[in-house]
Amino acid sequence: MTVTKPAFLLFFWLTFVAAKAFADPLWQDELGWLKTMAFAAHQTDYSGTFVYQYGNHVESSRITHIAGRDGEHGRLESLDGVRREIIRDNDQVQSFLGDRKVKSEECPSGREFPVLLPGQLSLLNENYIIKPEAEGRVAGFHAHAVLLQPKDNLRYSHRMWAHSDSGLLLKAEVLDERGRVIEQYAFTQLTIGGNIDRSWIVPGKPVSASSAQKKAHSVRKAQESGAASGWQVDMLPAGFKKIAEVRRQLGSKKTGVIQIVYSDGLAGISVFIEAAEGEDDDHPGLSSQGALQVYSKVIDDHLVTVVGEVPPRTVMQIVDSLRYGGK
Amino acid sequence: MNQHISALMDGELFEDEADALFDKLKSDPDADEAWRTFHLISDALRQPDHIHVNVSSSLRERLQAEPTILAPRSRTRQNARWFALSAAASVLALTLVAWMSLQVGSEPAPQMAMQQTPSALRPASFSSRGGLNDYLMAHQEYSPSADVQGTASYMRTGSGQ
């Protein structure tokens, strides 16, 4: 007995080590793929047409993306119905409706190149089971597929197909807890690299180190001032963490809006809080579009609007437990 | 005779006397009746709350008088009852769903959010709301989904308008 016991322990230890050694590379692989996809989304030059579908609604858009020495440029143009266009030059975002420019603003987030951060990856790994799926073909390209399956019903499943060579996302599905596709996006035609039309890019100043620094400073300042807003969510859905809190201008509104952002590593939820005005009270309740939910409610004379790519119950849990805790 | 029974109940009889009395109790219905009555009296004296009333003989007589019916049970009544029960359950479920959607429309209680099934929710369509795009654009700047989708993540803004 005294001989077999250490042998047993050794056997268990070896099994454990072997399991870890076999499990880890796979885990690394899938997370590595997500990193590659995030990198490709911002560093690849491409141009193509994609289809976006939810419920009975289908629309196609043309997309062009160029990453150059002077930063990142993206252009999104709707091909159905009224022409809508969004042009993004680094942190400058312009929207057009028909031939009219409706908005031009600077992203206060300071995330010109959003990439999956290590903390975000571990959060993602806590909330989702990442599995490789059968390889496929999308828009004529060979694609690797991964499934991100949530560990609870507070978030949706995501299935993604990425170009095997570049890692560019070619197709994405969002599935509800019963496995039904509630929203999808897929390229139908795509050109990666090569000669891509750049005429639409407004020649602007490149992002200098000093301006980036200034920006980071202003973001930090905004976050500091926002952190004192006093609003808190008592029953934050499991797995979500606060990633930002800012006070900002929104659209044509005169007064500032507080934006608090929560993330589970993949899905995001924004909580907007502003002084309630008469005309804003007309649309309380829940509205949805594919995976995106919007819920608004008046709490203590403040209009609260929650936006997130999460199931209705998650959005509602946040609205229902939001309160002003004072400063 | 009654003295003997009383003595037996008090445990004052010898073994052979008791055996003889037991044989007599088995054969003589009057003695048996007296035995039962004595016990009833003693029970009543000790525990007035739990009087053991002897209903066995009268019940036995009435059971014997009851005619035995050999006929299949009527099924129609049973079916009607089942139908009524399931109809009642359906109405209850419908009322519950209707009530839940009303709750969603107005102000739901905090615990409701945890219990709701997505099918009970009837969210309004986006296009009915003005100024919503500003929120969607602002959300898109921070949402981690933009990390993987890049510029395409803006597809959700302004869609369906």
Side-chain angles (χ1 to χ4, degrees):
Chain A
M1 206 52 192
T2 44
V3 183
T4 51
K5 205 174 169 189
F8 240 118
L9 286 175
L10 184 72
F11 172 73
F12 271 117
W13 183 76
L14 277 174
T15 315
F16 178 73
V17 168
K20 246 186 114 58
F22 279 112
D24 265 353
L26 184 73
W27 183 83
Q28 279 294 339
D29 223 20
E30 302 315 323
L31 281 185
W33 249 112
L34 287 174
K35 268 196 244 179
T36 310
M37 283 159 73
F39 187 78
H42 299 277
Q43 294 296 303
T44 315
D45 291 359
Y46 62 89
S47 167
T49 308
F50 71 82
V51 170
Y52 168 52
Q53 178 262 325
Y54 58 89
N56 296 326
H57 183 92
V58 181
E59 66 177 60
S60 43
S61 306
R62 187 183 295 138
I63 189 169
T64 310
H65 183 267
I66 287 163
R69 232 171 287 142
D70 58 343
E72 198 181 345
H73 309 277
R75 183 195 196 190
L76 186 69
E77 189 187 358
S78 73
L79 298 175
D80 306 321
V82 182
R83 200 178 78 92
R84 281 174 293 108
E85 190 176 355
I86 290 169
I87 293 181
R88 182 170 178 173
D89 290 298
N90 295 314
D91 57 342
Q92 288 290 329
V93 181
Q94 300 174 78
S95 322
F96 301 86
L97 193 64
D99 295 325
R100 200 163 47 90
K101 186 194 257 190
V102 287
K103 201 167 60 179
S104 175
E105 66 172 12
E106 194 176 320
C107 291
S109 59
R111 301 202 325 165
E112 293 100 293
F113 291 97
V115 279
L116 291 161
L117 303 165
Q120 200 181 332
L121 281 176
S122 69
L123 197 58
L124 190 101
N125 203 49
E126 274 170 38
N127 294 309
Y128 297 88
I129 299 162
I130 308 168
K131 291 182 198 164
E133 293 249 301
E135 295 173 14
R137 198 163 160 265
V138 181
F141 292 95
H142 186 260
H144 266 76
V146 282
L147 176 70
L148 292 107
Q149 205 169 32
K151 294 180 180 174
D152 54 30
N153 61 4
L154 293 169
R155 55 209 105 236
Y156 290 127
S157 294
H158 298 257
R159 190 177 280 136
M160 298 173 181
W161 285 262
H163 182 214
S164 301
D165 296 338
S166 68
L168 191 68
L169 184 69
L170 299 178
K171 183 179 174 181
E173 286 178 352
V174 183
L175 304 103
D176 67 7
E177 55 195 316
R178 293 178 204 175
R180 291 177 304 199
V181 176
I182 50 172
E183 176 186 294
Q184 60 182 317
Y185 139 95
F187 272 105
T188 52
Q189 180 272 320
L190 179 66
T191 310
I192 299 175
N195 216 354
I196 293 170
D197 175 30
R198 293 168 174 259
S199 59
W200 53 275
I201 298 173
V202 185
K205 54 182 192 310
V207 193
S208 67
S210 68
S211 84
Q213 215 167 37
K214 210 174 108 192
K215 195 165 170 59
H217 179 69
S218 71
V219 168
R220 209 175 311 122
K221 234 176 106 184
Q223 280 167 343
E224 277 164 12
S225 71
S229 74
W231 286 88
Q232 60 193 70
V233 175
D234 288 335
M235 272 169 58
L236 190 65
F240 281 89
K241 283 204 173 98
K242 184 156 106 178
I243 56 167
E245 178 160 352
V246 289
R247 196 181 287 271
R248 61 184 296 170
Q249 292 298 122
L250 200 65
S252 57
K253 289 189 171 71
K254 285 146 269 163
T255 50
V257 174
I258 297 165
Q259 182 181 7
I260 310 172
V261 189
Y262 300 94
S263 165
D264 70 349
L266 185 65
I269 304 174
S270 289
V271 179
F272 298 94
I273 301 155
E274 64 205 278
E277 291 168 36
E279 76 261 62
D280 288 322
D281 302 351
D282 299 342
H283 310 285
L286 183 76
S287 54
S288 99
Q289 172 192 298
L292 202 64
Q293 317 289 329
V294 178
Y295 193 100
S296 53
K297 185 182 175 182
V298 175
I299 300 172
D300 298 337
D301 295 330
H302 286 80
L303 176 68
V304 173
T305 307
V306 181
V307 181
E309 309 96 32
V310 288
R313 65 167 70 82
T314 313
V315 166
M316 288 164 73
Q317 187 178 329
I318 286 192
V319 177
D320 291 332
S321 66
L322 183 76
R323 66 180 179 90
Y324 184 68
K327 293 187 181 180
Chain B
M1 181 66 200
N2 288 351
Q3 280 177 342
H4 279 99
I5 293 172
S6 179
L8 176 68
M9 283 173 67
D10 294 340
E12 288 167 2
L13 287 188
F14 290 109
E15 206 170 311
D16 52 338
E17 284 177 320
D19 284 345
L21 190 58
F22 280 136
D23 287 340
K24 194 165 172 60
L25 286 174
K26 279 178 205 159
S27 56
D28 183 359
D30 287 343
D32 185 53
E33 193 61 44
W35 166 261
R36 284 168 200 277
T37 310
F38 270 56
H39 271 282
L40 186 62
I41 290 166
S42 103
D43 281 354
L45 284 172
R46 281 174 203 148
Q47 291 173 305
D49 292 345
H50 304 96
I51 299 173
H52 172 75
V53 181
N54 188 4
V55 292
S56 60
S57 57
S58 59
L59 190 67
R60 204 184 306 130
E61 278 163 25
R62 282 180 58 187
L63 271 174
Q64 274 166 355
E66 196 105 335
T68 308
I69 301 165
L70 292 171
R73 202 180 283 171
S74 161
R75 290 201 66 91
T76 48
R77 263 183 69 191
Q78 191 80 353
N79 285 346
R81 191 192 296 159
W82 272 111
F83 176 75
L85 274 177
S86 61
S90 308
V91 168
L92 189 71
L94 278 175
T95 316
L96 189 68
V97 168
W99 179 72
M100 280 165 86
S101 7
L102 273 179
Q103 289 288 308
V104 172
S106 55
E107 289 184 356
Q111 67 272 30
M112 285 295 294
M114 306 294 289
Q115 294 161 358
Q116 244 129 29
T117 54
S119 56
L121 301 170
R122 301 258 182 281
S125 128
F126 266 13
S127 47
S128 63
R129 296 200 55 193
L132 185 66
N133 233 4
D134 292 334
Y135 295 106
L136 300 186
M137 291 280 278
H139 169 68
Q140 217 50 64
E141 289 164 17
Y142 284 96
S143 177
S145 64
D147 291 344
V148 177
Q149 290 184 333
T151 312
S153 63
Y154 282 99
M155 68 194 171
R156 290 196 182 105
T157 65
S159 171
Q161 286 178 2

